[in-house]
Amino acid sequence: MKRRVITPLVVTALALLAAPGSAGPEKIAFPAGYKSHVLYATVDRYDIKQHRELYGTPEAVQAAKAGRPIPSGSVLTLVQYKAQVDAQGTPVKDASGRFVKGDVIALTVMEKRAGWGAEYPADLRNGDWEYAAFSPDGKLNEKANYKACFQCHKPHEKQDFVISLASLAGKFPTGAVATKTGANDVTVAGFAFGPKALTVGPGQSVTWTNADNSPHQIALAKSQERSPVLLKGQSHSRAFAAPGVYDYMCGLHPSMKGSIEVK
Ligand code: HEC
Ligand SMILES: [Cu+2]
């Protein structure tokens, strides 16, 4: 930051900035230098046909790797690219099976600074984080649904609201996953539940196993109960006592849907 003489006018402006009601995406400056940050993960989003690059400031990556809290001043930038598709609309893959990126659609950013976020009600606040969305040319998107950023990242409070924390910490498992194919097993692969609809007897358990590189989460529609976030290779089991149809979705990717019928 440039040094400047603090005039009374600047002092007033600073006081206004710190006043309640000033919370919001305007606090975040476009991270023009994000490409010089650390590219810590890439994500192929089968559900929305996007390729994503996730960048973090070096201090954030170092802290996450060491298991320390992410420091004030950290910036995480998620760059959304359109996936290139073939004539059928299916994403084209490169030699290593990854989506081929097209144009940048948007950049979403999280920035954490000590003291930020205090204006938000407790059921919305994401610690000291603010969220902002930018167009490819760096203009703030004032029409983005900022409440949804807070709501969707809120359940990840235990990992400082950073959904990709395991990747940021370099702890994301790699390698193939041995999928289970028992009658009560559901495999999560390619951003889909398989089988999508499963029937089990009363009192039986269903086990979901995540075979994707992306994390997923089982979120029951009616009760809003959520499993822990399942990283690649991790499983979650739950017994269903009462007959009925239990619709669920992925808590991270709401377009992924499935159902369990108990009868
Ligand atoms: C539907 C749920 C959902 C909403 C709404 C959402 N995110 Fe996320 N966000 C995710 C998921 C899931 C990831 C992990 C990467 C992925 O799968 O694309 C993520 C990752 C991120 C990351 C990378 C760091 C991290 O937490 O892993 C940033 C930055 C980010 N989101 C910013 C935003 C902003 C800004 C908004 C609002 C404009 C927003 N998000 C809204 C689900 C959501
Ligand atoms: Cu998911």
Side-chain angles (χ1 to χ4, degrees):
M1 221 192 253
K2 272 188 210 149
R3 270 195 215 164
R4 48 152 77 114
V5 185
I6 309 270
T7 63
L9 199 72
V10 173
V11 172
T12 316
L14 287 174
L16 275 175
L17 274 177
S22 67
E26 298 81 12
K27 282 191 165 167
I28 298 183
F30 179 66
Y34 74 85
K35 281 197 173 147
S36 67
H37 300 167
V38 181
L39 174 64
Y40 69 87
T42 56
V43 177
D44 289 334
R45 289 284 303 255
Y46 286 73
D47 54 337
I48 47 177
K49 297 182 189 175
Q50 281 185 9
H51 177 77
R52 298 179 154 192
E53 289 177 346
L54 281 65
Y55 293 85
T57 40
E59 296 74 18
V61 179
Q62 280 156 18
K65 282 218 164 95
R68 283 186 275 112
I70 297 171
S72 174
S74 291
V75 179
L76 304 179
T77 306
L78 185 160
V79 190
Q80 303 179 5
Y81 295 88
K82 215 179 268 173
Q84 286 187 27
V85 296
D86 64 16
Q88 280 76 44
T90 309
V92 178
K93 292 183 181 173
D94 65 15
S96 50
R98 302 302 307 270
F99 287 3
V100 180
K101 63 188 186 193
D103 294 338
V104 176
I105 306 166
L107 299 94
T108 54
V109 179
M110 311 173 51
E111 183 169 344
K112 180 183 192 177
R113 291 204 181 263
W116 279 12
E119 299 89 347
Y120 294 106
D123 61 351
L124 197 63
R125 182 175 182 181
N126 279 201
D128 296 343
W129 293 100
E130 283 281 9
Y131 291 83
F134 296 93
S135 58
D137 61 358
K139 257 185 67 197
L140 182 68
N141 178 354
E142 278 158 10
K143 295 201 183 102
N145 183 353
Y146 288 111
K147 198 174 175 193
C149 317
F150 286 84
Q151 285 170 334
C152 218
H153 282 250
K154 180 80 175 172
H156 307 279
E157 183 149 21
K158 280 203 200 103
Q159 47 188 62
D160 199 9
F161 309 97
V162 179
I163 299 179
S164 59
L165 187 72
S167 305
L168 187 62
K171 284 191 189 139
F172 206 84
T174 51
V177 173
T179 51
K180 299 182 200 119
T181 50
N184 293 1
D185 288 319
V186 178
T187 300
V188 195
F191 284 72
F193 298 108
K196 205 170 173 271
L198 183 71
T199 307
V200 300
Q204 292 188 348
S205 273
V206 174
T207 302
W208 289 266
T209 303
N210 181 11
D212 267 348
N213 283 318
S214 281
H216 296 291
Q217 183 183 45
I218 314 306
L220 294 183
K222 249 182 227 147
S223 61
Q224 304 211 322
E225 175 191 310
R226 283 169 180 258
S227 74
V229 171
L230 303 178
L231 302 182
K232 187 176 193 175
Q234 291 182 331
S235 294
H236 173 70
S237 296
R238 185 195 190 282
F240 291 87
V245 176
Y246 298 82
D247 289 326
Y248 64 90
M249 58 182 157
C250 175
L252 309 182
H253 314 109
S255 59
M256 296 172 59
K257 291 192 164 73
S259 70
I260 307 294
E261 184 175 7
V262 182
K263 69 171 185 191

